[in-house]
């Protein structure tokens, strides 16, 4: 069974003008996610599913979904603040949905095969999709509890225009994930890659240290765990009182690892990430995409 690509796009607003997810960066108006979908098709993915907000469904269908017709089957699912398990209600004053793993949960009724989750506004490059696509396609039918994450080499994920936030990963002897620690300030300083630790000290890390860029590979049993743990999350008064608390993918993954329920293989990739973290990054991204078109990696028009 071909794997599915799940794209997290509910963070988009309906005013497309200033949204980096739909910024036209390719030579024929391509967005970053167009390149992800093109690469996923090349890597053998069989379907794409977008998580969006219901309020811009019509616009999304006409401006985004229509271009993939005839290339790959596509479906929409919707994330909303009130998509909660029975017995729970939205706390007063809460304005935003419940985070990335809540978004993943919205796809439980349409994904029955191994799947990969990605962000819409990161340019991951082709090797990333080959690596995760092969892992998912090679899983035996009915596989459970064996997941994966693409670990980008930190040196391939920096911005020239400021610090970046990355989840720095640790692995065991088998190459399975043991922890992901979010470091909010990482940059190249004096020729070394360093992050600022909790005490404000700069700590050096190796060029090839794996970091999470939110590329995860799961099997459908992940939805069962996510539903059960979401109820626990909502049952914690702290999470209901905090109007900005979020149910993130790493929260779920860390629980499954710590409980000994699942393993998460960290897959190495040579892909060089780029994205628009800062406004000043935009021209650099346009230039990098153009050079990939010029060298024949991508056609001038994708779809």
């Amino acid at each position: 069974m071909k794997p599915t690509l799940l794209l997290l796009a509910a963070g988009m607003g309906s005013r497309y003008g200033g949204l980096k997810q739909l910024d036209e960066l390719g030579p024929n108006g391509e967005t970053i996610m167009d390149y992800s979908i093109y690469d996923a098709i090349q890597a053998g993915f069989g379907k794409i599913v977008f998580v969006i907000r219901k309020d811009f469904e019509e616009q999304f269908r006409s401006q985004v979904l229509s271009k993939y017709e005839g290339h790959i089957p596509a479906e929409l699912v919707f994330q909303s603040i009130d998509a909660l398990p029975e017995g729970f209600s939205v706390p007063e004053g809460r304005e935003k949905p419940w985070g990335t793993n809540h978004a993943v949960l919205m796809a439980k009724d349409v994904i029955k095969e191994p799947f990969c989750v990605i962000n819409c506004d990161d340019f991951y490059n082709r090797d990333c999709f080959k690596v995760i696509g092969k892992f998912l396609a090679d899983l035996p039918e009915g596989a459970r509890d064996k997941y994966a994450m693409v670990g980008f080499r930190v040196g391939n994920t920096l911005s020239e225009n400021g610090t970046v936030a990355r989840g720095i990963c640790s692995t065991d002897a088998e190459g399975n994930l043991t922890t992901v620690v979010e470091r909010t300030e990482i940059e190249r300083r004096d020729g070394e890659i360093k992050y600022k630790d909790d005490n404000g000290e700069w700590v050096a890390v190796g060029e090839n240290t794996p970091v999470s860029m939110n590329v995860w590979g799961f099997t459908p049993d992940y939805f069962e765990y996510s539903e059960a743990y979401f109820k626990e999350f909502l049952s914690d008064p702290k999470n209901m009182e905090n109007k900005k608390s979020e149910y993130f993918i790493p929260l779920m993954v860390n629980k499954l690892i710590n409980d000994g329920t699942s393993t998460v293989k960290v897959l190495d990739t040579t892909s060089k990430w780029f994205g628009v973290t800062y406004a000043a990054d935009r021209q650099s991204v346009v230039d990098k995409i153009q050079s990939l078109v010029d060298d024949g990696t991508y056609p001038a028009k994708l779809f």
Side-chain angles (χ1 to χ4, degrees), residues 65-121:
L65 230 53
S66 58
K67 73 173 84 171
Y68 308 125
E69 280 174 19
H71 296 282
I72 188 168
E75 293 196 54
L76 293 181
V77 296
F78 306 102
Q79 183 182 22
S80 63
I81 192 170
D82 58 357
L84 296 173
E86 199 174 330
F88 294 92
S89 56
V90 179
E92 194 179 335
R94 175 107 197 172
E95 292 178 358
K96 58 187 294 194
W98 299 88
T100 50
N101 211 53
H102 179 248
V104 169
L105 257 179
M106 300 303 102
K108 68 184 172 64
D109 294 331
V110 301
I111 297 180
K112 307 298 180 190
E113 57 284 316
F115 64 101
C116 169
V117 182
I118 64 165
N119 296 334
C120 278
D121 53 356

Side-chain angles (χ1 to χ4, degrees), residues 136-167:
L136 294 171
D138 287 351
L139 288 170
E141 196 171 336
R144 295 178 62 95
D145 298 321
K146 294 201 179 329
Y147 307 144
M149 186 206 84
V150 177
F152 278 69
R153 301 171 185 179
V154 67
N156 287 341
T157 74
L158 303 179
S159 167
E160 291 154 19
N161 296 301
T163 62
V164 295
R166 301 284 179 256

